[in-house]
Amino acid sequence: MQNIRQHFPLLSQTLSGRPLVYLDNAATAQKPQAVIDTVNELHASLNGNIHRGVHYMAEQCTARYEAARESVREYINAEKACEVIFTAGATASINLVAFAFGERYVRADDEIVVTEMEHHSNIVPWQLLCERKGATLKVLPFADSGELRVDLLPALLSQKTKLLAVAQVSNVLGTVNPVDEIVRAAHAAGVPVLVDGAQGVQHGRVDVQRMGCDFYAFSGHKIYGPTGIGVLYAKEKFLDEMPPYQGGGDMIKTVTFAKTTYADLPYKFEAGTANYVGAIGLGAAIAFLSTLDPAAMQQQELLLLRRATEQLQDVGGLAIYGNAAHKSSIASFAFGNLHHLDVAQILDKLGIAVRSGTLCAEPVMQHYGLTGMVRASFAFYNTLDEVLALTEGVKKAKKILE
Ligand code: PLP
């Protein structure tokens, strides 16, 4: 881990005349040189549209796109490569399921269950589905500690429940949810599960088969890959039964004005020119991550979280939200008397990048009666000095604003 920062050119920049302290990794992670080089190389010397041309560059890009799919399959341990759909990101993946699953399985008076700690991307697509179908959205609450009330789940599930959607890790509270247990409980009631892995996948390998989930969604840009690319893993049975989400080139077998037939999996769900540059860049990110020791990576992230939690608690006048026993490297906090935006802006002037506001999770803010929080999120390339810079910065902000 010691030399890891040299792989990330952006981290050695200065901001406002000070060394950049980048603590907004849950919003987007920085890119290793290997990913930057891969994307540049494709644009500079190997750009050809995939699955169409027979010329060299088209064939190379096609082969590398499919190799990236195989890398994702291996990283998340999907059984088959055809169960890995490339999308524009976690949001696009969830919308795909909400539309296509909804068209196939959801009727009036059915129910969809989400949790109170979801990101808007795992709430609004389900609300739209419920509006379209006359179905109802049910919500599994969390306790003030930031832990999901899994004990209340059996009472929420019924014959009417068509799907449960849950975050693997909360983007505000950092809670690592017991998704294996949740999947088991849902399956026992005959309910399929979508796991939003946007904040889970970047902290080490995922095993969708062990987790048992039916759908798993994540974004490339949060796992050190490019923006505009994401993944939907779905069990083949569902992909076979669900209708296409979007129509266009590449997702068809034959088209006549009388009838169109659809391509085999996974292409049935990849309409139009795919973001093959992004997908190949994501493959490079996974290859980079595979060179790291996952235990060392997690140890570093948890050390940063522990130290940040201790030091922030010493600042006084603020509360940290999310104290689950099993947490990922996210520390969200709010002062009783100071506005989160003011704090974040002063930190910015000190060269420290954090996130502030409702963090795309307004129901979590409503739970605590807050208008927003400040969130520091750590990656394995962050350092204890940066944690200290954060807490010194927060103290300074407090002094200025008070
Ligand atoms: N789900 C969670 C838990 C997230 O944290 C995010 C983004 O922050 C998303 C979904 C949406 O990801 P994207 O905006 O990359 O589609």
Side-chain angles (χ1 to χ4, degrees):
M1 283 299 133
Q2 264 170 10
N3 299 321
I4 199 75
R5 288 175 76 85
Q6 75 194 22
H7 293 279
F8 294 83
L10 184 140
L11 297 178
S12 53
Q13 279 190 97
T14 52
L15 199 69
S16 312
R18 294 164 189 262
L20 167 68
V21 176
Y22 186 75
L23 302 178
D24 197 15
N25 295 286
T28 195
Q30 299 308 341
K31 319 304 169 199
Q33 191 65 50
V35 169
I36 299 167
D37 288 346
T38 299
V39 170
N40 283 345
E41 177 218 348
L42 288 165
H43 283 144
S45 57
L46 202 69
N47 185 36
N49 204 339
I50 56 167
H51 298 148
R52 292 159 168 82
V54 292
H55 61 81
Y56 175 78
M57 295 194 297
E59 289 195 338
Q60 285 292 308
C61 284
T62 302
R64 288 177 67 174
Y65 180 71
E66 294 305 333
R69 194 190 308 277
E70 176 56 24
S71 301
V72 172
R73 184 206 66 71
E74 201 194 333
Y75 188 79
I76 62 171
N77 196 30
E79 191 186 341
K80 299 177 183 173
C82 72
E83 295 175 321
V84 173
I85 313 287
F86 282 120
T87 66
T91 303
S93 300
I94 297 168
N95 275 280
L96 189 165
V97 180
F99 180 83
F101 181 95
E103 283 304 295
R104 175 69 176 77
Y105 303 104
V106 180
R107 305 276 170 271
D109 297 329
D110 283 344
E111 293 172 358
I112 302 288
V113 177
V114 297
T115 88
E116 192 188 5
M117 67 168 73
E118 298 309 311
H119 186 281
H120 297 160
S121 290
N122 204 22
I123 298 175
V124 184
W126 306 114
Q127 287 177 322
L128 291 169
L129 166 62
C130 288
E131 270 172 34
R132 275 199 308 277
K133 298 289 178 181
T136 305
L137 194 69
K138 297 269 179 167
V139 182
L140 180 70
F142 64 84
D144 290 349
S145 64
E147 267 156 0
L148 271 182
R149 294 289 310 273
V150 181
D151 56 309
L152 300 179
L153 186 57
L156 263 186
L157 301 174
S158 74
Q159 296 278 6
K160 291 182 173 182
T161 317
K162 288 296 175 287
L163 186 121
L164 165 71
V166 58
Q168 186 180 12
V169 174
S170 157
N171 67 309
V172 178
L173 306 166
T175 314
V176 179
N177 287 319
V179 281
D180 298 21
E181 183 191 335
I182 292 171
V183 169
R184 273 198 303 277
H187 283 180
V191 175
V193 180
L194 177 140
V195 174
D196 173 359
Q199 298 294 345
V201 73
Q202 59 276 60
H203 303 293
R205 273 173 194 271
V206 167
D207 188 336
V208 289
Q209 291 188 72
R210 211 196 61 204
M211 202 186 285
C213 60
D214 303 278
F215 302 96
Y216 186 86
F218 70 91
S219 296
H221 68 99
K222 293 187 201 281
I223 181 174
Y224 311 99
T227 37
I229 187 73
V231 168
L232 171 68
Y233 156 79
K235 283 186 181 155
E236 190 178 13
K237 158 189 149 46
F238 287 110
L239 292 175
D240 273 338
E241 291 180 6
M242 283 160 29
Y245 174 43
Q246 293 180 321
D250 227 22
M251 54 74 73
I252 52 89
K253 218 168 237 165
T254 60
V255 178
T256 68
F257 285 113
K259 182 169 171 60
T260 289
T261 55
Y262 305 124
D264 292 334
L265 298 176
Y267 311 112
K268 174 179 155 189
F269 291 99
E270 293 183 354
T273 295
N275 180 1
Y276 52 92
V277 175
I280 296 167
L282 173 58
I286 290 174
F288 175 81
L289 284 180
S290 305
T291 65
L292 306 180
D293 172 5
M297 207 167 109
Q298 283 170 13
Q299 205 181 358
Q300 173 71 1
E301 290 178 351
L302 292 180
L303 172 68
L304 296 164
L305 174 70
R306 201 167 57 240
R307 194 63 69 80
T309 306
E310 286 161 10
Q311 291 181 1
L312 284 169
Q313 271 160 351
D314 280 350
V315 172
L318 63 75
I320 295 177
Y321 293 91
N323 298 299
H326 196 185
K327 252 191 95 166
S328 160
S329 50
I330 288 176
S332 296
F333 58 93
F335 283 93
N337 58 342
L338 308 178
H339 200 276
H340 46 89
L341 260 179
D342 294 336
V343 176
Q345 272 174 350
I346 292 176
L347 290 175
D348 176 53
K349 295 284 170 264
L350 299 171
I352 303 165
V354 294
R355 175 82 191 272
S356 62
T358 59
L359 312 181
C360 292
E362 287 187 27
V364 177
M365 303 302 141
Q366 288 151 14
H367 180 106
Y368 294 109
L370 297 170
T371 58
M373 297 182 190
V374 180
R375 179 185 70 190
S377 50
F378 307 97
F380 53 78
Y381 48 54
N382 289 124
T383 65
L384 290 174
D385 284 346
E386 290 181 315
V387 171
L388 191 60
L390 168 73
T391 41
E392 290 304 312
V394 171
K395 280 183 198 158
K396 197 173 242 177
K398 182 175 181 234
K399 207 163 157 193
I400 294 170
L401 294 169
E402 278 177 346

